[in-house]
Amino acid sequence: MEDITPKVYKSGFVAVVGRPNVGKSTLMNALIGTTIAIASSRPETTRKAIRGILTLENAQIVLVDTPGIHRPRTLLGQRLNDMVDESLSDVDEIAFLLPADQEIGPGDKRILSRLRAQFAKKRDDGSYEWNVPIIAIVTKIDTLSRSDLINKLIEINEFANFTDIVPVSALEHDNLQEVLKVLVDYMPEGPQMYPAEQLSEETPEDMIAELIRGAFLEELNDELPHSLAVVVDDIINPEPRSEDQRTRVMVSIYVERDSQKPIIIGKKAQHLVRVKKKLRTAVNRVMGRKSYLDLRVKVAKDWQSDPKKLERLGF
């Protein structure tokens, strides 16, 4: 007799948390299968809570990539931490990323303390009971030998009573399916919330701004001022009878000091030219048509500590 029991569908939000530069964006991009969040070796690369949507046959997982939790040195840093709090306020699961190649440090302990305060109650014996599943995802396992990895997993198991622990190498795509399986296992039943083809909640403006910032991170690496911010000011579609049928994307690139402008522009504007060339296909894909990036470099003095400027730049 044919089984007519309906399959259980699951859906929910998973906050991806961890110290800066532990591989949150890399893991999220690997799970979604495309670049949703920019990944870089520089700390504090992610500055917004970016939602990536993964639709499977039996589940829809919304991954919320959060800025790395850190001790803030500027008003921007405090706003990023506040953003993490907001992202955590209504999630169904938390993926706590811990890198296999680094010791558990004060930053990890601070995050654990924060999660316990928000999502756990203390038992009489001093242990904690989680209100939502907290899954430890041990990243960068390709950097360790098998025996060292086993020792690291034992150490992480003793660090906290995680709901589950999953080792993974997002760069090598090693054990990604197991990560997905564990996330789905602990997901509550629920309906599909987004169309199957939708991969992100980001607007075209946000996606293009992040693509540009990511390209400069790659282009300039150590030279790049940490105070770089990118804003898409306007998207201008061509007139019906215009010879140039490209959409014009007007972009402002902000730094904090005049001396930083030449670093971004480069000799004979070489950095701007290379970034435009590199992003041509990606921007066309976001816009759904041929487009042209109009990049202007501007100074917003000390914007990381100025409330009005932070607001204007979207923080």
Side-chain angles (χ1 to χ4, degrees):
M1 185 176 176
E2 189 181 347
D3 182 11
I4 57 170
T5 308
K7 287 185 179 178
V8 172
Y9 196 89
K10 296 183 170 188
S11 65
F13 293 82
V14 180
V16 183
V17 304
R19 285 184 283 130
N21 196 25
V22 294
K24 295 185 294 295
S25 300
T26 303
L27 177 66
M28 180 164 160
N29 292 337
L31 290 172
I32 300 293
T34 189
T35 301
I36 298 295
I38 58 174
S40 164
S41 59
R42 289 170 68 102
E44 297 175 42
T45 298
T46 301
R47 287 184 179 163
K48 294 187 178 180
I50 295 169
R51 289 178 173 182
I53 303 158
L54 180 61
T55 304
L56 307 169
E57 187 182 344
N58 61 333
Q60 188 170 69
I61 302 170
V62 183
L63 297 161
V64 186
D65 181 23
T66 62
I69 299 173
H70 61 292
R71 198 182 293 281
R73 297 183 304 276
T74 62
L75 183 57
L76 171 64
Q78 184 55 56
R79 292 264 172 102
L80 296 184
N81 275 354
D82 292 345
M83 208 179 291
V84 175
D85 282 340
E86 196 177 320
S87 303
L88 292 175
S89 62
D90 193 24
V91 295
D92 301 288
E93 293 176 32
I94 293 169
F96 186 173
L97 269 59
L98 294 152
D101 62 345
Q102 296 173 34
E103 294 298 316
I104 292 172
D108 300 308
K109 291 171 184 172
R110 195 161 53 244
I111 294 167
L112 180 62
S113 176
R114 188 183 228 176
L115 293 176
R116 280 174 171 168
Q118 198 167 347
F119 296 105
K121 60 181 178 183
K122 201 169 186 177
R123 299 189 184 104
D124 294 337
D125 63 0
S127 64
Y128 287 85
E129 183 181 340
W130 297 111
N131 300 327
V132 299
I134 310 282
I135 297 153
I137 297 184
V138 186
T139 61
K140 308 181 184 182
I141 61 171
D142 52 296
T143 60
L144 296 187
S145 67
R146 185 171 178 80
S147 61
D148 285 342
L149 177 58
I150 290 169
N151 290 332
K152 173 57 73 173
L153 294 176
I154 292 168
E155 180 192 359
I156 287 171
N157 187 50
E158 291 170 352
F159 174 52
N161 61 322
F162 291 109
T163 309
D164 214 325
I165 299 175
V166 193
V168 67
S169 170
L171 273 181
E172 301 294 327
H173 285 241
D174 184 8
N175 221 29
L176 280 176
Q177 288 306 311
E178 183 61 23
V179 172
L180 282 178
K181 179 183 178 303
V182 170
L183 293 179
V184 171
D185 282 349
Y186 293 103
M187 188 69 61
E189 289 184 32
Q192 184 174 319
M193 298 174 286
Y194 298 88
E197 66 277 4
Q198 187 173 341
L199 300 177
S200 174
E201 266 197 353
E202 300 300 284
T203 64
E205 289 86 349
D206 287 340
M207 290 173 76
I208 290 170
E210 284 295 276
L211 283 169
I212 293 167
R213 198 164 64 88
F216 275 108
L217 280 169
E218 221 169 275
E219 174 77 19
L220 298 174
N221 201 6
D222 294 336
E223 302 168 70
L224 184 73
H226 192 266
S227 55
L228 183 83
V230 181
V231 176
V232 173
D233 299 312
D234 201 3
I235 294 175
I236 302 169
N237 289 313
E239 295 293 329
R241 296 182 184 179
S242 167
E243 288 184 21
D244 187 353
Q245 286 299 301
R246 294 176 299 173
T247 291
R248 200 174 191 85
V249 183
M250 312 296 291
V251 180
S252 293
I253 299 165
Y254 291 95
V255 289
E256 286 191 308
R257 296 190 295 277
D258 289 306
S259 61
Q260 294 170 338
K261 282 181 73 173
I263 298 172
I264 303 299
I265 295 168
K267 190 177 181 181
K268 295 183 179 177
Q270 61 176 335
H271 295 150
L272 296 181
V273 170
R274 276 211 289 264
V275 165
K276 283 183 189 180
K277 190 174 180 181
K278 185 176 185 176
L279 294 181
R280 187 180 298 148
T281 302
V283 171
N284 288 348
R285 195 178 294 130
V286 171
M287 295 307 304
R289 61 181 300 155
K290 285 190 175 180
S291 305
Y292 172 78
L293 284 177
D294 189 323
L295 305 178
R296 307 290 172 94
V297 183
K298 302 175 181 180
V299 177
K301 290 191 185 297
D302 301 321
W303 69 264
Q304 292 187 87
S305 298
D306 185 319
K308 287 183 180 175
K309 288 173 184 172
L310 278 171
E311 201 168 317
R312 202 165 69 236
L313 295 175
F315 298 103

